[in-house]
Every structure is written in structure tokens, then in C-alpha cells.
Amino acid sequence: MVLPGVWLVVVPGEGVDGEWVESLVEGLGSGVVRLVVSGRVDRAGLVEQLRGVVEGGVRFAGVVSLLGVCEGWRWSSVPVGVVDTAVLVQALDEVGVGGRLWVVTCGAVSVGVGELVGSVGQGGLWGLGRVAALEYPELWGGVVDVPVELSGGVVRRLVGVLGGGVGDEDQVAVRGGGVYGRRLVPAPAPVPAAAGGGWEPSGTVLITGGTGVLGGHVARWLAGRGVEHLLLLSRRG
């Protein structure tokens, strides 16, 4: 599958594996325009760069951002990829380059029990994506996670996702074995305590936030289950 139209690919100038980025960008095909963003991402500067790209009335079919794969922290506690991606969303909304934005992560989510999450910081982009989808419904395309090892099959599936091959899915993980969509599913029914399952509280139970409404419900439920000692802590100390 070939990406329809011309796509804008936003690439970090540093802080990432250059070979990995090149492999991914080349796999997207020849119909891409690359925008390299270096240094600390600034909204005003990024807006200027974007306006320079769209001079002449160019309208992109879509935007792919690799800013999120940058590791590191801003202000000592916020992932730099999350900050830069948030700035990019605002800049794209201001300029209006056309097309929807897809944010790429690498190892931010797991698709199975045997797969470990490789980047806790990049996981924050999936939370940012849920907010952006609500605040920028006309701009947001989705977030898609890919593995560190980029095989030809992975890149082809990624192109399929960007080209609309997964319908309305906006939280997708691409792997060598297929494409996965995030789902909320019902939790399994609890096993009755008599059958050896469930939790039977005993001793002293500590409830943080126990002085609130929800904490009160939990405390009463525990008391009804026979707990003799409850320690309730306020969230404010």
C-alpha cells in the first residue's frame, strides 16, 4: 500500500537513533516532506517552520510525528517527547497544514503478557492522545506504537494504518504478527471465596483517601466483611 497524497513527517534533529528514523521515513515512501526539528521545541519557532513548509498552498494528506520517540525529561519530571508533541499539536492547529496528525511511539505499550514496555516516558503520549482527540477532533489522527526492530512487514502495516486501513481506530500497535487496537473489555467475574478465590481482608486495613466519599464506602464495605481495624488517612495528611 502507498500513502495517498503528500505527507509531512516531523523528525527530531537529535536524541533518537538516526538509523531507526531513516528506516522508518524511507519506508513511508517517496511522497513525504521531511521537517527536521532541532533543539528545544518552541511553539513560535515551530509555527514559523510549518508556515515555511506550506508556502505555495501545499496541503498535506496527513502528518506523522516522530518527536515522541525522543527520550529524556523536561523540567526533570515530564517526558520531553510529550512536551514537544503537545507543542506540535498547538502549532499545527494554528497553521492548518491539512490532514490529521499521527504520533509514533516505540515500545510504549505492550500487546501481550510476554512483551515488556520499553519506554515509560513514551507511554505518556498515549494519555496525551486521548486528550488531543477530544480537544482537536479535526486535527487528531491517532497514536501508533511500533517495535524497535523495524521489519518490512511492520513498516507496510504502519503505512496501512496511516492510509486508513484500520477505520476509526486511533490507538494502534503495529507488530510483526499483526495490528492491534486498544480495547476496554469486561473483567472476569470474581471467584467466590468459598471456591478458593477472592480476597478475604484480615488484620488492619489502611485506606488512603479514606476520609472522602469513596473512602467511606470502602471502609463500610470492609467493616461489613469483618475487618476489625481500619486506618483511614486523608489525602491532605
Side-chain angles (χ1 to χ4, degrees), residues 48-60 95:
E48 184 178 352
Q49 280 189 275
L50 289 170
R51 284 177 174 159
V53 171
V54 299
E55 284 182 354
V58 178
R59 299 290 291 178
F60 292 99
V95 175

Side-chain angles (χ1 to χ4, degrees), residues 8 10 35 37 43-55 60 63 87-97:
L8 177 65
V10 184
L35 177 66
V37 179
R43 178 174 176 175
L46 191 51
V47 165
E48 184 178 352
Q49 280 189 275
L50 289 170
R51 284 177 174 159
V53 171
V54 299
E55 284 182 354
F60 292 99
V63 182
V87 174
L88 175 63
V89 171
Q90 296 170 340
L92 287 171
D93 180 62
E94 181 175 340
V95 175
V97 300

Side-chain angles (χ1 to χ4, degrees), residues 7 63-65 100-104 141-144 161-162 169-170:
W7 283 65
V63 182
V64 179
S65 171
R100 294 180 179 271
L101 168 66
W102 283 88
V103 173
V104 175
V143 58
V144 55
V161 170
L162 299 176
E169 301 286 353
D170 65 350

